[in-house]
Amino acid sequence: MAAQFGRRLRRGATTTAVAALAVAALSASQAPAIVPGGGENGKQASGSSAPDESPDSASGDSSYHTDLPPLNTPDKPGTSIDLPDLEGAAEAGIPATVLSAYKQAEQRLGVTNPGCNLPWQLLAAIGKVESGQARGGRVDDNGTTFTPILGPVLNGVGFANISDTDNGAYDGDKTHDRAVGPMQFIPSTWATWGQDANGDGRKDPNNIFDAALAAGRYLCANDRDLSLKSNLDQAILSYNRSREYLATVLSWLEYYKRGSHEVPDGTGVLPEGPGPLNPGGPSNSPSPGPTTSPSPDESPTTNPPKPPKPPAAKPPTTPPTKPPTTPPTTPPTPAPVVERLEDAGTGKLSATAGTEFAGRVTVRGEDGKGKAVGKAAVRFTIVGDTDATFAGGSKNATGVSGATGVAKAPALRAGEKTGDFTVRADVVGRTVPAVDFTATVTERQADTVARTSDKEMTAAPGGEFADSIQVKATNNGVIAPGVAVKATMIKSADDASAADKGPYFKDAAGKPLRALTDLKTDAQGLLVLPKIFADDATGTFLLRIETAGGAKVTIELKVTAPEA
């Protein structure tokens, strides 16, 4: 696969200290040891790692944040380490909307690609390294970043040279490409892997729900099983072909697996190192080497003069003031979570087969105090024996609640199967009672049916009618395709029961049949009846044609003996 994730900037140099911390973090979490900068088969790179030359890897380098997780992992059984905390609780916090997007992507891929075994923590690790969790969760109610997150210009000056592929639509640059969004897709890759995960009809790389699902699908490509270490490494390296990148992502993956928690949007920890948040930072060019200092055996030719003795300090006349004590930092208020989901005015869900439902499923999420909860991911699922779908043909969709706590499902479209089915709404990542809605599909209808010819229908006793009968059905003046039709030889105008003599149709065995029920109009609203035969009875007989919706037309059939 020649995907284009890797064709972005990469940091110029990674220090020995960062490499050591990566190994320490991985060792502390019992993750497989991967030395940053180490190639395969023992190869080493000086200063920065050489890209993986595997043909399946994307070409070019990439820019990313090299901050590593605290050495003291979140507090879970078996993780106690005698090291300073280094604000581990803050680093383990993931902004609410961003966390919902990662978990939603894991859930969706668990249904569509269960063999991939994608953990949401992998998306969190990549999101941390690529954009600092969307700039610490600076996203709106729908999960879109307030301002685009752009990587440096890929103009070949110290980085990959990628000419513009999107006419500046995503990155604003009509000459070269730039990585875009919280998961840092370049436009050409987004054109292939972009997703509409929040059901707003757009594939937006700046939307965390869309970007997280796209990243998940990309990582799962080529039938990868991410529970296998080799496949996991391959997937991460396909995102960015740097061994330091692999080690950094794996360290965050193990860190998040040991524990994490939700924090309010906009309060996440921003990376201090360079990357797409700071494309003009020092990482855009290699770090200068250390200045030269004299070697230890180069002694000076003369002894330097001794510095004069400083004057004795006079004791202060006033006692020193105590330094102000720093007040303890107030922990961030936990983001509200949905404790209850309720109907928010959905109304009756009914549609004729093949048409769109007028109403949409609408729910409201509330916390334990009955207050609206925004930015909650709500999953909508069609349940039951039906061919109805959401817009786009899916049986599943996800919406994000706004400031009023209300989330709407995409429009429903009825299939051809009539009857009732269920639309279920539940909260992604929360064990909250689901809300079920009953939807009904009724058969197609016509309010008018008429014969397309006025030619008289005649036959001799024991013969057959030479002409066929064709009718056309309309509904509100528009052709009515797929409408159910009944054709019956009736006893009289006042008795619509099937006649026992006179003209008839034939069944598959050739036996007389005076009522047909399994008929439907075609795409043009037309129906041509089977050939009609006459028995020995003579006279004028009636054929009644009736559509679903109550439209009727009665046609005379005359059976007369030929003249002598």
Side-chain angles (χ1 to χ4, degrees):
M1 177 182 63
Q4 300 294 317
F5 265 103
R7 295 178 61 187
R8 291 188 280 114
L9 294 172
R10 70 174 290 278
R11 191 179 181 197
T14 302
T15 64
T16 304
V18 171
L21 283 173
V23 177
L26 289 167
S27 301
S29 61
Q30 289 82 49
I34 298 178
V35 179
E40 294 184 12
N41 301 321
K43 292 185 289 185
Q44 288 283 343
S46 175
S48 62
S49 66
D52 187 345
E53 296 300 332
S54 167
D56 292 332
S57 298
S59 61
D61 296 330
S62 68
S63 172
Y64 57 91
H65 296 290
T66 56
D67 302 48
L68 291 169
L71 298 179
N72 205 12
T73 56
D75 189 9
K76 279 203 171 183
T79 65
S80 177
I81 303 173
D82 188 18
L83 291 171
D85 179 66
L86 299 179
E87 298 182 354
E91 286 285 7
I94 301 176
T97 298
V98 178
L99 182 59
S100 292
Y102 296 151
K103 290 185 176 180
Q104 175 188 311
E106 177 194 55
Q107 187 272 332
R108 292 276 288 272
L109 287 164
V111 174
T112 61
N113 193 352
C116 177
N117 296 304
L118 173 85
W120 66 261
Q121 291 91 343
L122 176 58
L123 297 175
I126 291 176
K128 178 70 173 178
V129 170
E130 294 291 346
S131 70
Q133 311 297 19
R135 289 195 182 110
R138 286 160 176 80
V139 295
D140 63 18
D141 289 347
N142 293 317
T144 303
T145 58
F146 292 119
T147 56
I149 302 175
L150 297 175
V153 178
L154 300 179
N155 56 8
V157 181
F159 315 113
N161 187 355
I162 304 179
S163 298
D164 175 63
T165 60
D166 66 332
N167 198 29
Y170 293 122
D171 55 15
D173 191 328
K174 295 185 178 181
T175 305
H176 294 91
D177 271 347
R178 303 175 71 175
V180 181
M183 303 303 281
Q184 288 289 280
F185 282 87
I186 62 172
S188 56
T189 305
W190 184 257
T192 301
W193 295 94
Q195 301 291 317
D196 175 19
N198 62 353
D200 64 357
R202 297 178 61 227
K203 297 178 180 179
D204 184 1
N206 292 299
N207 181 277
I208 186 59
F209 288 95
D210 293 358
L213 182 58
R217 292 192 185 283
Y218 181 87
L219 293 165
C220 289
N222 296 331
D223 297 323
R224 292 191 186 106
D225 179 359
L226 300 183
S227 65
L228 302 177
K229 182 63 171 63
S230 59
N231 284 358
L232 176 64
D233 288 358
Q234 183 186 60
I236 297 171
L237 286 171
S238 76
Y239 212 105
N240 186 314
R241 295 188 310 154
S242 161
R243 304 304 293 187
E244 288 104 333
Y245 181 86
L246 174 63
T248 306
V249 170
L250 286 174
S251 66
W252 281 107
L253 170 61
E254 294 302 322
Y255 182 73
Y256 287 134
K257 280 185 175 180
R258 305 297 277 180
S260 63
H261 59 275
E262 182 182 289
V263 298
D265 288 346
T267 65
V269 176
L270 287 175
E272 295 181 1
L277 295 185
N278 183 20
S283 70
N284 288 348
S285 59
S287 302
T291 57
T292 305
S293 55
S295 63
D297 57 354
E298 291 179 355
S299 55
T301 56
T302 58
N303 292 327
K306 292 184 179 179
K309 225 176 183 183
K314 293 183 179 180
T317 55
T318 57
T321 57
K322 289 184 179 180
T325 57
T326 304
T329 304
T330 304
T333 304
V337 294
V338 176
E339 301 289 350
R340 188 169 72 92
L341 206 59
E342 65 175 11
D343 181 8
T346 298
K348 185 178 181 181
L349 296 173
S350 180
T352 302
T355 65
E356 191 171 283
F357 284 75
R360 291 169 62 180
V361 173
T362 307
V363 294
R364 181 175 185 268
E366 297 179 347
D367 62 13
K369 297 180 180 179
K371 293 183 178 180
V373 177
K375 301 181 182 178
V378 179
R379 176 176 45 235
F380 301 96
T381 308
I382 295 174
V383 182
D385 183 15
T386 179
D387 54 357
T389 62
F390 291 113
S394 174
K395 295 280 187 179
N396 301 278
T398 303
V400 180
S401 62
T404 60
V406 173
K408 279 189 176 183
L412 270 172
R413 185 167 186 84
E416 295 303 320
K417 186 180 288 293
T418 60
D420 294 342
F421 64 92
T422 299
V423 179
R424 179 164 297 153
D426 63 349
V427 181
V428 176
R430 296 282 300 165
T431 307
V432 176
V435 181
D436 287 349
F437 301 86
T438 299
T440 303
V441 179
T442 58
E443 61 183 346
R444 296 172 184 257
Q445 298 183 352
D447 55 17
T448 304
V449 62
R451 190 181 173 200
T452 58
S453 170
D454 56 1
K455 189 174 182 179
E456 188 177 59
M457 297 290 295
T458 60
E464 64 182 50
F465 289 82
D467 299 308
S468 297
I469 294 177
Q470 178 179 267
V471 294
K472 182 176 183 178
T474 58
N475 194 50
N476 294 322
V478 180
I479 60 173
V483 175
V485 178
K486 293 188 298 182
T488 309
M489 305 293 180
I490 60 176
K491 290 181 178 179
S492 67
D494 299 325
D495 186 352
S497 58
D500 52 8
K501 64 178 181 178
Y504 60 90
F505 304 105
K506 286 184 179 180
D507 63 14
K511 295 181 179 180
L513 189 66
R514 291 186 170 87
L516 297 176
T517 56
D518 193 17
L519 302 172
K520 280 191 176 181
T521 59
D522 64 14
Q524 303 303 317
L526 299 173
L527 171 67
V528 178
L529 295 180
K531 186 173 286 293
I532 301 174
F533 303 88
D535 60 10
D536 294 336
T538 59
T540 300
F541 302 90
L542 300 178
L543 168 63
R544 178 162 292 172
I545 299 173
E546 183 176 1
T547 69
K552 299 176 184 178
V553 62
T554 302
I555 301 170
E556 289 187 347
L557 305 175
K558 294 182 179 180
V559 181
T560 58
E563 294 182 1

